[in-house]
Amino acid sequence: MTWVSVVIHGMLLGGVYALLASGLSLMFGVMRIINLAHGSLALVGAYMALLLTEHLHISTYLSLAVVLPGALIVGYLLQRTMLERSLRAGQLVPLLTTFGLLIVIANLLQRFFSPDVHSLDAGRIGPASWQVSSSLTIGWFDVLTFGLAFAVLGGLQVVLKYTQLGRELRATAEDPDTAELVGVNARAVYARATAIAVATAALAGVFYGIRSGFDPNAGANELLYAFEAVVIGGIGSLWGTLGGGIVLGVAQSVGAQINTEYFALAGHVVFLVVLVLRSMRQAGALRLLRGKVA
Amino acid sequence: MSLLTVEELDVRHGLLQAVRQVSFEIAEGEAFALVGANGAGKTTLLRSIAGAHRLTGGRIVFGGRDITSLPAYKRVKAGIALVPEGRRLFPNLSVEENLRVAGAARRSGRWTVDAVLEAFPLLQPLRRKRAASLSGGEQQATAIGRALMTNPRLLLLDEVSLGLAPIVVEGVYRSLATLIEAGTTVLLVEQDLARAMSVADRVVCMLEGRIVLEGLRGELTREQVTAAYFGLDRREATA
């Protein structure tokens, strides 16, 4: 029964990673932009929620009504001002720009909010849980997070597959010049997609902030897990990211059950194994891709 | 009134001047062929009209409106569609998705997904197939269909026969002739002289970025065009 509990908690933990990874999966997997500041933008969302709850005395969940639209605007501007220019200089340049942004955000947060650990109020749902059996208790908040990850990834998948924005986004990712030639405003499409990605990051940041404490440097660590979830699940597949998050969460949870020190290690090992297997299989496909670019 | 007016166009690729002082007009409903050897500047000229290249000089007027500084996607909305060289489909999108992407910018008109599939029956069973999995001829049909989805007033076609088997080219040109008969204004870039002269009302020959010969189909002989194509006239003049 202990192991069932371990696996179920691992899956729920995976929901947390999947939620943060959803926007990353959209940008990294579909648009081919590596946004190293994704975790930091999530953190900014958490800090904005903190400001709102402390000063306006509203619930954390209500603060999302301000945080999410704000994140959409930030995402749109981020693409138009920084990423778009970086992308024009090559696919690796956004890596440098967003790494810079990560450092700037961490320092700004430290300057304005101090290096202390903060946390967000979970509201009434926080301590509520469901006692399944003597050894298995499931927290409602964890279930809510998991459900949200499911909804966000599912929603993104539907947008990508069945809407005009989704088609235009995939077309632009494959060939931006030709997309423009068939009437797609490629820059606006990318800006809208980045806006959505940053909004999901902020959402994930707020839920992360409720779940555990955060400090100005928490962004980078969370980003690593989110990246692993995207890669394990398969780059470009949003449903895969949910699976990737679950695999990572379960691995960490099982690892920690064997020895608490193995928590992070077990996740990284699974990630490495998947990466090696995948790159072996994709070696052929990559060669094809390079041939096409050249 | 002319649909497209190109005035003294200059286009550069870095240091190389690909198009030099090119001027011409295309009337509504006309089929206009641009011929010339490799590197004569045909593709660059076509892509400049579509908005994919920035001009160094000159002006482009379309439907009475100066579109010189309009970005490519807005030119599509104005009614210019390009079938690019090498087809350039979105490889991981299905045939139908390729068509629908272009459908967003569509002007009102008769072309819809169903109308395109009707015009190119070979695409009917392939509509859910990935574009990358199609044969060359099927890809070319999709590329033309994709351009038609925007209901263009002017259709630019770049080397539609390149890399296709002769029998497939036959089919592509048959559907092209149907389009031209229906009154679509077409600007066609073609290396195959006979093909170009079979469908076009007017033929323009480019050499080293300039227009060296221009005339109605009936007025020009194959020999004249061939001479202009290879720059033979000029050599005689300097000799």
Side-chain angles (χ1 to χ4, degrees), chain B residues 91-168:
Chain B
N92 291 313
L93 269 61
S94 71
V95 168
E96 184 174 342
E97 284 174 336
N98 265 280
L99 298 178
R100 286 199 189 281
V101 164
R106 61 194 302 257
R107 300 149 22 85
S108 57
R110 73 186 191 91
W111 292 106
T112 58
V113 171
D114 288 332
V116 167
L117 293 177
E118 210 171 294
F120 299 98
L122 80 162
L123 297 181
Q124 197 83 52
L126 306 170
R127 67 192 288 173
R128 304 211 187 288
K129 278 251 174 80
R130 276 174 66 229
S133 69
L134 305 185
S135 73
E138 291 159 355
Q139 287 193 7
Q140 191 65 70
T142 310
I144 295 175
R146 185 177 65 179
L148 289 175
M149 280 297 290
T150 63
N151 282 298
R153 293 176 71 188
L154 173 66
L155 184 60
L156 309 171
L157 295 142
D158 196 357
E159 308 261 12
V160 284
S161 59
L162 200 71
L164 298 183
I167 185 147
V168 178

Side-chain angles (χ1 to χ4, degrees), chain A residues 18-42:
Chain A
L19 186 59
L20 182 62
S22 59
L24 199 66
S25 187
L26 183 65
M27 288 193 75
F28 175 46
V30 181
M31 299 159 71
R32 300 292 155 141
I33 298 175
I34 301 174
N35 181 7
L36 290 181
H38 190 80
S40 310
L41 290 165

Side-chain angles (χ1 to χ4, degrees), chain A residues 160-161 164 167-168 170-172 174-186 292, chain B residues 47 50 52 72-73 76-77 82 84 88 90-93 97 100-102 104-105 146 150:
Chain A
L160 208 56
K161 185 109 182 75
Q164 185 61 25
R167 279 190 289 269
E168 291 186 354
R170 284 182 290 145
T172 305
E174 291 192 352
D175 188 343
D177 292 343
T178 306
E180 291 252 343
L181 284 172
V182 299
V184 175
N185 184 353
K292 211 164 56 188
Chain B
R47 290 176 59 82
Y73 73 95
V76 175
K77 288 195 174 71
L82 171 71
R88 301 278 293 267
F90 305 113
N92 291 313
L93 269 61
E97 284 174 336
R100 286 199 189 281
V101 164
R146 185 177 65 179
T150 63

Side-chain angles (χ1 to χ4, degrees), chain B:
Chain B
M1 200 194 102
S2 68
L3 179 64
L4 177 77
T5 309
V6 171
E7 289 172 9
E8 297 177 353
L9 219 62
D10 279 317
V11 189
R12 283 173 183 282
H13 289 298
L15 286 176
L16 176 82
Q17 184 152 16
V19 175
R20 304 159 189 263
Q21 294 287 302
V22 166
S23 301
F24 61 86
E25 288 191 4
I26 301 178
E28 185 109 50
E30 195 176 17
F32 189 100
L34 200 56
V35 299
N38 263 334
K42 307 179 302 282
T43 294
T44 306
L45 177 57
L46 219 55
R47 290 176 59 82
S48 307
I49 295 170
H53 279 302
R54 205 183 288 229
L55 308 180
T56 4
R59 218 161 74 94
I60 304 173
V61 179
F62 180 72
R65 174 181 173 205
D66 190 330
I67 59 161
T68 313
S69 54
L70 220 54
Y73 73 95
K74 285 190 179 162
R75 295 190 196 193
V76 175
K77 288 195 174 71
I80 298 179
L82 171 71
V83 180
E85 185 179 0
R87 307 179 275 275
R88 301 278 293 267
L89 294 178
F90 305 113
N92 291 313
L93 269 61
S94 71
V95 168
E96 184 174 342
E97 284 174 336
N98 265 280
L99 298 178
R100 286 199 189 281
V101 164
R106 61 194 302 257
R107 300 149 22 85
S108 57
R110 73 186 191 91
W111 292 106
T112 58
V113 171
D114 288 332
V116 167
L117 293 177
E118 210 171 294
F120 299 98
L122 80 162
L123 297 181
Q124 197 83 52
L126 306 170
R127 67 192 288 173
R128 304 211 187 288
K129 278 251 174 80
R130 276 174 66 229
S133 69
L134 305 185
S135 73
E138 291 159 355
Q139 287 193 7
Q140 191 65 70
T142 310
I144 295 175
R146 185 177 65 179
L148 289 175
M149 280 297 290
T150 63
N151 282 298
R153 293 176 71 188
L154 173 66
L155 184 60
L156 309 171
L157 295 142
D158 196 357
E159 308 261 12
V160 284
S161 59
L162 200 71
L164 298 183
I167 185 147
V168 178
V169 176
E170 206 64 59
V172 169
Y173 266 84
R174 253 202 310 279
S175 33
L176 215 57
T178 322
L179 286 177
I180 292 168
E181 266 168 46
T184 314
T185 314
V186 169
L187 171 48
L188 181 76
V189 159
E190 184 56 82
Q191 292 212 28
D192 184 336
L193 215 53
R195 289 257 173 241
M197 291 180 83
S198 72
V199 290
D201 306 318
R202 203 142 55 98
V203 178
V204 159
C205 187
M206 281 183 81
L207 179 71
E208 292 167 3
R210 294 176 204 281
I211 290 181
V212 287
L213 183 74
E214 179 173 1
L216 294 175
R217 172 167 50 171
E219 298 171 355
L220 295 176
T221 64
R222 235 188 111 75
E223 288 65 35
Q224 277 178 300
V225 182
T226 314
Y229 196 104
F230 295 109
L232 301 177
D233 292 346
R234 212 177 40 168
R235 217 168 296 159
E236 273 165 27
T238 50

